[in-house]
Amino acid sequence: MWRPALIVLQPTPFCNIDCDYCYLRHRDDRTVMGAKVVSAIRDKIFPRIARDAAPTIIWHAGEPTTVPIAWYRSAYTELRKTAPGATNFSLQSNGIGLGRDWIEFARETGTQIGLSIDGPREFHDARRKTRNGKGTWALAMQALRELQQARIHPNVVTVLHPLSLQAVDAYFEFYRDNDISHVSFSIDESEGRHATSSFDAGDYTDAITGFLFGLMKRAYLEGFPLHIKEVERIASILAGGQLRNEQIDAWDVLVVAANGDVTTFSPEFMEVRSQAHRNFNFGNILIDDFDRIFTSALVARTQAEIRQGVDLCRARCRYFAVCGGGAPSNKMQENGGLDSAETQFCRFSVQPAAEAFRKMIHWARQIPEDRFISNPKCFAEPLT
């Protein structure tokens, strides 16, 4: 039976704001996933998943909350009919339309919420704007406060800019003062319609490492339980956990677009263009037999090329043991081929997280034992 790790469902490509680094090619398209697509997911896809699997299903792409909440209630009811019992539902939002009705829906269905907030106001508002050019920080923070008041503590995704790296204290104090304990960091990548990154100008590996290390040091010294997803993933692997790079094996990740188009490997493949790979569109669940999509020659050829790239990573990169071969979408976008190795994304995401963790361990070894005991909150929660 099939055991996917992540299923990304794109209810709409439309987004209600205008981020400088947005990679979505069709963010003006107001198409909403139709009932026939939802039914096809229910009938063609979910029954193939092992009953004891625990996939995460995330509503993501444009801004999910631009679709009426009644649509989600109906979709959730239908999908629960065939989804494994341990399936987790999640929704990634910019927070602009995330009002009390959404909070009630999240509580009723157990849907986890992720918020995109790029740190302190000056950094967030510089690049995450409304369609008429105004900052969105106040609206996102209002959503955060309403979620917290409902005892929902969202994971926060922060996209970094080179200027962010000079403001460790400001970022830490933002997370601490707003009780944001679970954060994931990324850079604005060269991907999809976003052809260039603000990080293209130089090598920021050491600066990003210093930024992450600085956050962890302050969190420890102040007893604030700040969980950085990228660092804790590496810590978990080194502590004996399983290394699983979901992006290198077909169907560990499944993405279904609003119109029923299907891709796998990297979720961002929906936005990557390659004529040789039919733009990574492996079929459509409304018109194609899913078994044929699953076993198609195009998927097999793409898998073979990705494996060649993974082998190159294994041979060349000292971070392979905590990475597993990189992200195929970044390899295609940055290097022009899947059968390639290191990318800027690797250098500025995976490698700094590993180096920051190494530096933190080295620093912590020099701290007297009683200092650890005095800050138990930093280690009170399990790695996630």
Side-chain angles (χ1 to χ4, degrees), residues 58-92:
I58 182 168
W59 302 107
H60 195 14
E63 171 50 36
T65 62
T66 61
V67 176
I69 198 166
W71 183 92
Y72 286 94
R73 292 188 185 279
S74 175
Y76 180 84
T77 299
E78 292 303 309
L79 297 179
R80 266 299 182 196
K81 292 178 180 178
T82 56
T87 297
N88 301 298
F89 281 82
S90 181
L91 181 145
Q92 184 65 35

Side-chain angles (χ1 to χ4, degrees), residues 319-351:
Y319 299 95
F320 182 82
V322 295
C323 173
S329 61
N330 293 103
K331 292 183 178 185
M332 176 58 70
Q333 187 85 26
E334 294 184 34
N335 301 337
L338 301 170
D339 53 349
S340 60
E342 187 181 69
T343 62
Q344 179 174 278
F345 176 79
C346 296
R347 290 192 299 275
F348 297 165
S349 295
V350 178
Q351 296 176 21

Side-chain angles (χ1 to χ4, degrees), residues 95-129:
I96 304 307
L98 199 64
R100 293 182 180 179
D101 52 347
W102 284 100
I103 293 172
E104 187 60 32
F105 170 76
R107 296 176 73 171
E108 288 175 3
T109 60
T111 298
Q112 298 174 320
I113 302 293
L115 279 183
S116 296
I117 306 177
D118 285 357
R121 185 169 196 155
E122 62 181 292
F123 294 98
H124 179 105
D125 280 351
R127 297 183 300 150
R128 296 186 64 83
K129 306 166 188 173

Side-chain angles (χ1 to χ4, degrees), residues 29 68 78 95 174 176 185 230 280 287 350-351 359-360:
D29 183 351
E78 292 303 309
F174 167 74
R176 180 201 63 195
F185 290 105
E230 292 74 23
F280 300 100
I287 59 177
V350 178
Q351 296 176 21
K359 292 184 71 171
M360 186 66 186

